[in-house]
Amino acid sequence: MRRFTWFNATSLTFGFAFLYLPILLLIIYSFNESKLVTVWGGFSTKWYGELMRNEAMLDAAWVTLRVAFFSASLAAVLGTMAALVLVRAGRFKGRTLFSGMVYAPLVMPEVITGLSLLLLFISLNLDRGMLTVTLAHTTFSMCYVAVVVSSRLVTFDRSLEEAALDLGASPLDAFFSVTLPIIAPAVVAGWLLAFTLSLDDLVIASFNTGPGATTLPIKIYSAVRLGVSPEINALSTILIAVVSLGVIVASLADKRLAKSRGNQAQ
Amino acid sequence: MVATSDKTPAKGTIGSGNRKPGESTSQAWLKEDSVPIVEFRDVTKRFGDFTAVDNVSLKVYPGEFFALLGPSGCGKSTLLRMLAGFETPTSGTILLDGKDIASTPPNLRPVNMMFQSYALFPHLTVAQNIAFGLKRAGMQKGAVEERTREMLRLVKMEQFSGRKPHQMSGGQRQRVALARSLARNPKLLLLDEPLGALDAKLRESTQFELVNIQEKLGTTFIIVTHDQEEAMTVATRIGVMNHGVLAQVDTPADIYENPKSRFVADFIGDVNLIAAKVGGARKVDGEDCIHFTVDGYKQDFVARSAEPLAKGTEAYLAIRPEKITISKSKDTQAANQIEGTVDDIAYVGNLSTYHVRLANGSVIKAQEANRRRISNRQITWEDKVWLSWTAGGGLLLAN
C-alpha cells in the first residue's frame, strides 16, 4: 500500500475482523474464570487444567494425532507416487482422465466422500475404527500431496536422474539418492498439509469411525451439542496453535525450496 | 592408457585441427584392419512421425575425439543419447566394443556422459558428486577418496571439493561435471554441448584443455556441438549431420577444404556458391579439374570437383572468401579471373570482406587480411575490381 486512505484502513480492519475476531474471542474465553461461556469472570487457566484431567478428551486427542500421523505418512507415499506417474509417464491413453480423477476429491463434497467410503468399508466387511478413519483420511489428503509434489516435479531437471543412471545407479537407487532428496521439501510440505487436514476433519471421520476411535473434532462436536463448556475453548485454542504451527512450518519449508531452486537456476 | 599405441601413424596424411599427425588416433579410420570402439549400423530413430535419426552408419575408433556437428534438431543429440542408453533405436544396431548394447540399461554401460546442463546433484558437494559413480562401481572407501582427489587435480578444482554446485561459477561447474563423468574411467565419454553455457573467451581456453585431457587419458570422446569452430578445434574427425542424416564424416581439414555437398560447404565456415555450367575435364598442373562457364561471362573457369560431372550439367562452384584475391588490375597469372563492382565492405579489424557484384547480379565475397592500416586501403565502394583464384581454390559441387 503506497497511500493511506480511510477506505483502505476500514476495509482492511473489517476484513481481518471478519476472519479472525471469532477465533480471537475463542482464545480469550479459553482463559475465562467463569463457568458461563459468554460472561467474563476474570483471567484463569483452570479450564486447561480441567482439560488435562478429562480422560475422554485426551483419548480423542491421542486418536486424532495417531490417525493424522499415519494417514499423512501414507498419503505422502501414495501422493508422491501418483505425482511421479502423472508428471513422468508422458502421454498415455487416459492420462487427462487420470490426473482429473486424482484432483477430483479436492472439490468433492466431503459428505459424498465420507458416505462412499463408508459404503466401501461395509461391503468389505471392515470393522469401523482407527483403521477405517486412517484409510479415509489417506484417500482425500493424498490428492493434496499429489498436487504439491507434482508442481515441484514439473520443474525437476530430468537429466539429474539420467546422470545418476549414467554413473551406475539403478533406477531405484537413482530415485532414492537423487530425486527424493531434491523433492523432499515438497513431500514434507505435502505431509504437513495432509496432517493438518486430517487433524481438523469432522465430516469424513464421523462417517467412518467406530466405537473406541472417536477423533477430537467428533468429540468436540458432540460435546458442544450438550452445551458449550469452557473446556472446549481451551482445547480449540490448543488445536489452533498446533494447526498454525503446521502451516508455518510447511510454508517455511516451501520458501526454502523456492530459494534452493533459485540457486539452482543460476 | 593410450589405447591405440600399437598403431603406427599413416604416412602422408594431413593432420587435423590442433593435432600433429599420428597423435593418439593414428588415423585409424584410414586402415582396413582397425577395430572400431563404437559402430552404428543402419540406426534409425523415430519419435512418432518425426524421424530424428535416419539410417545412420558410423564407426568411431579408440582414442578418437569425434565431433557430431549440425544445426539444432538435426538428430546429433539423439545419436548420443542412444549410445548412453536413454533412447532405444527404432531399428538398426549399435555396437560397443563389438557387442550389441541394445539390451544393456544405461547404468550397466561402460559409457559416461557429460550433460549440457552439467546435471550436478545440487544436494551433494563437489567431492560427493564425483564419488557418486565410484561408490556404485563397488570401490572401497579409501580408493574412492583417492580417485576423487585425482579427478579434482585433473580439472584443477582441488580447493572446491567441499562446495555445493550453486556456490560455483559456470566454468567451475563445467570442470566438476567433466571430472565426474571421467571418474569411472569410461571406455567412451559422451559430451553433449559441454561448452554451450560458457562465454566465448572461456570456451576457447576450455576447448584446448578438453583436448589436452583427452590426449592425456586416451579415452575416446564423442562430442555433440552446433559450433563449427569448436568442432574444428577439438576433433580428430567430424560427422556433419542434417535432418537426421550424416552428410559427411571427415577430418576437420577435409570437411573444410573438400565438402561433399552444398549443405556441408555452407554450414562450415563462410562460402560463396556460384551457379555454373560444366564444360568438361581439364588438367591443371597435373591435377584433374573441370572447366565451366558462369552466366553473364564469356571466359572459362576451372575448379576441382568431388565427383566427375557430365558436360552441360548445372553445378555450383563453392569457394571460400579467403581464397579469392581482390585487385584493381587483372592478374593474368591466375587460373580464374572475374570482373565485378564493389558493393559493400565489411571491416572487422583484422579482416575486410568485400562484397563484389557480378555482371549477372550475384554477389561474391572476397576476404583480405588488413596488413596495412585502413586509411591506406586502395579499393573502395563502386570500384571496378578483378577477383582471382587458383584452380585448386574452388570446388564444383553437383546440384
Side-chain angles (χ1 to χ4, degrees):
Chain A
M1 264 210 310
R2 280 185 309 152
R3 240 184 349 213
F4 177 88
T5 65
W6 284 110
F7 176 77
N8 283 350
T10 324
S11 55
L12 210 65
T13 312
F14 274 100
F16 276 108
F18 185 77
L19 287 174
Y20 290 105
L21 207 57
I23 296 173
L24 196 68
L25 269 176
L26 183 133
I27 294 172
I28 291 169
Y29 274 108
S30 74
F31 296 104
N32 193 357
E33 168 74 46
S34 165
K35 199 175 167 63
L36 294 166
V37 179
T38 47
V39 180
W40 184 251
F43 181 83
S44 152
T45 54
K46 83 170 185 196
W47 298 112
Y48 286 89
E50 201 84 344
L51 181 69
M52 290 302 137
R53 281 187 293 278
N54 188 338
E55 288 280 327
M57 264 319 167
L58 290 180
D59 269 354
W62 181 230
V63 166
T64 309
L65 282 177
R66 276 189 297 170
V67 167
F69 177 82
F70 287 117
S71 69
S73 306
L74 206 55
V77 174
L78 292 175
T80 304
M81 281 163 69
L84 273 169
V85 172
L86 289 175
V87 175
R88 293 294 172 75
R91 279 165 206 279
F92 56 91
K93 216 170 180 174
R95 183 182 179 278
T96 325
L97 181 72
F98 273 115
S99 62
M101 272 160 63
V102 164
Y103 300 141
L106 298 178
V107 289
M108 189 87 80
E110 285 185 313
V111 182
I112 295 174
T113 313
L115 187 63
S116 54
L117 281 165
L118 174 66
L119 293 174
L120 175 75
F121 292 140
I122 289 172
S123 67
L124 287 175
N125 232 344
L126 218 56
D127 277 339
R128 275 167 292 143
M130 269 275 288
L131 179 69
T132 49
V133 181
T134 308
L135 287 178
H137 280 180
T138 307
T139 22
F140 83 89
S141 53
M142 186 201 113
C143 320
Y144 290 86
V145 179
V147 171
V148 174
V149 175
S150 59
S151 74
R152 170 66 185 103
L153 277 175
V154 166
T155 57
F156 184 88
D157 181 8
R158 282 302 293 274
S159 61
L160 289 172
E161 264 170 25
E162 288 177 345
L165 292 178
D166 189 63
L167 292 167
S170 67
L172 204 67
D173 183 9
F175 176 77
F176 282 108
S177 54
V178 173
T179 315
L180 198 57
I182 295 170
I183 64 165
V187 178
V188 170
W191 187 90
L192 282 165
L193 197 60
F195 186 81
T196 42
L197 283 170
S198 166
L199 214 56
D200 65 17
D201 167 69
L202 169 67
V203 180
I204 293 173
S206 58
F207 271 106
N208 294 290
T209 190
T214 311
T215 64
L216 208 50
I218 297 176
K219 188 80 195 164
I220 294 172
Y221 186 66
S222 49
V224 167
R225 280 196 303 188
L226 301 173
V228 182
S229 141
E231 238 174 72
I232 302 292
N233 288 347
L235 184 62
S236 307
T237 306
I238 293 172
L239 263 185
I240 289 166
V242 171
V243 171
S244 3
L245 199 73
V247 171
I248 289 167
V249 172
S251 68
L252 281 181
D254 205 48
K255 213 173 199 172
R256 257 192 57 192
L257 171 83
K259 205 173 141 193
S260 73
R261 208 182 301 165
N263 279 331
Q264 244 173 281
Q266 244 176 31
Chain B
M1 276 177 88
V2 178
T4 52
S5 55
D6 56 330
K7 292 195 177 84
T8 45
K11 274 178 191 153
T13 50
I14 321 158
S16 61
N18 298 290
R19 292 154 189 277
K20 291 171 227 81
E23 213 169 44
S24 80
T25 52
S26 326
Q27 277 86 45
W29 54 90
L30 292 175
K31 278 181 279 184
E32 295 257 326
D33 57 345
S34 297
V35 181
I37 186 165
V38 174
E39 187 177 355
F40 288 88
R41 278 191 196 155
D42 311 317
V43 172
T44 296
K45 174 69 184 177
R46 289 191 197 90
F47 297 101
D49 294 338
F50 176 69
T51 307
V53 172
D54 192 0
N55 204 21
V56 165
S57 294
L58 172 69
K59 287 178 184 170
V60 177
Y61 295 91
E64 266 203 87
F65 200 140
F66 192 92
L68 282 166
L69 176 66
S72 55
C74 71
K76 55 195 193 306
S77 286
T78 310
L79 212 56
L80 204 69
R81 290 174 60 81
M82 285 195 284
L83 259 182
F86 302 131
E87 309 284 356
T88 42
T90 313
S91 67
T93 41
I94 302 173
L95 305 174
L96 181 67
D97 248 357
K99 286 188 285 287
D100 189 349
I101 51 168
S103 56
T104 315
N107 48 322
L108 300 178
R109 293 188 183 191
V111 167
N112 282 123
M113 179 147 163
M114 190 183 151
F115 291 81
Q116 186 171 11
S117 62
Y118 308 144
L120 295 175
F121 306 130
H123 59 297
L124 300 181
T125 64
V126 166
Q128 287 167 333
N129 261 286
I130 296 173
F132 189 94
L134 299 173
K135 282 183 194 154
R136 273 138 189 102
M139 271 170 98
Q140 295 297 313
K141 198 162 176 277
V144 168
E145 279 169 20
E146 196 181 317
R147 180 73 177 157
T148 304
R149 264 198 303 278
E150 192 186 323
M151 294 322 291
L152 284 170
R153 212 175 310 127
L154 180 72
V155 296
K156 304 185 187 88
M157 289 288 290
E158 294 109 312
Q159 69 273 39
F160 293 94
S161 69
R163 294 261 185 110
K164 289 277 182 72
H166 66 85
Q167 295 165 320
M168 295 187 297
S169 71
Q172 292 165 339
R173 278 185 232 175
Q174 189 266 347
R175 284 157 180 279
V176 175
L178 181 65
R180 188 181 68 174
S181 57
L182 282 169
R184 282 163 65 100
N185 198 12
K187 278 184 183 169
L188 178 65
L189 183 72
L190 310 172
L191 304 103
D192 188 4
E193 304 266 3
L195 313 176
L198 305 181
D199 60 74
K201 268 264 162 64
L202 190 57
R203 190 164 358 165
E204 202 177 306
S205 62
T206 314
Q207 282 164 3
F208 286 105
E209 224 175 299
L210 261 185
V211 173
N212 287 338
I213 287 175
Q214 194 264 342
E215 278 169 1
K216 205 154 124 193
L217 300 179
T219 312
T220 312
F221 277 29
I222 298 183
I223 185 174
V224 154
T225 178
H226 65 270
D227 180 345
Q228 47 121 341
E229 249 177 66
E230 187 170 297
M232 303 281 274
T233 310
V234 300
T236 52
R237 280 195 305 157
I238 297 175
V240 184
M241 281 190 84
N242 190 29
H243 297 307
V245 179
L246 263 177
Q248 189 172 352
V249 180
D250 253 320
T251 61
D254 276 339
I255 290 267
Y256 190 77
E257 299 291 349
N258 301 310
K260 289 202 175 105
S261 63
R262 280 181 64 191
F263 170 77
V264 176
D266 206 17
F267 187 72
I268 311 288
D270 208 357
V271 75
N272 294 299
L273 289 166
I274 302 154
K277 199 173 194 106
V278 175
R282 182 185 293 172
K283 265 210 185 320
V284 180
D285 296 334
E287 213 181 338
D288 288 320
C289 288
I290 285 181
H291 66 94
F292 59 94
T293 52
V294 171
D295 198 26
Y297 290 89
K298 282 191 203 107
Q299 74 266 41
D300 248 6
F301 300 91
V302 280
R304 293 173 299 132
S305 173
E307 55 200 305
L309 293 166
K311 186 180 159 103
T313 44
E314 300 280 339
Y316 277 89
L317 170 72
I319 184 161
R320 306 278 179 199
E322 76 274 10
K323 297 215 161 57
I324 301 177
T325 315
I326 185 166
S327 65
K328 295 193 88 165
S329 55
K330 192 170 175 175
D331 176 6
T332 47
Q333 298 297 307
N336 301 289
Q337 307 115 31
I338 200 163
E339 201 180 15
T341 322
V342 176
D343 224 17
D344 232 329
I345 304 172
Y347 172 73
V348 289
N350 57 341
L351 296 170
S352 284
T353 305
Y354 298 88
H355 295 233
V356 177
R357 191 162 14 87
L358 301 185
N360 61 17
S362 58
V363 174
I364 291 190
K365 283 185 266 183
Q367 216 165 49
E368 291 254 295
N370 289 321
R371 294 197 192 84
R372 294 180 179 194
R373 277 193 296 139
I374 191 162
S375 51
N376 297 335
R377 191 168 58 193
Q378 291 172 345
I379 297 164
T380 183
W381 285 266
E382 297 304 328
D383 275 357
K384 289 273 176 220
V385 290
W386 284 91
L387 302 174
S388 55
W389 65 92
T390 63
L395 188 67
L396 271 181
L397 297 170
N399 202 348

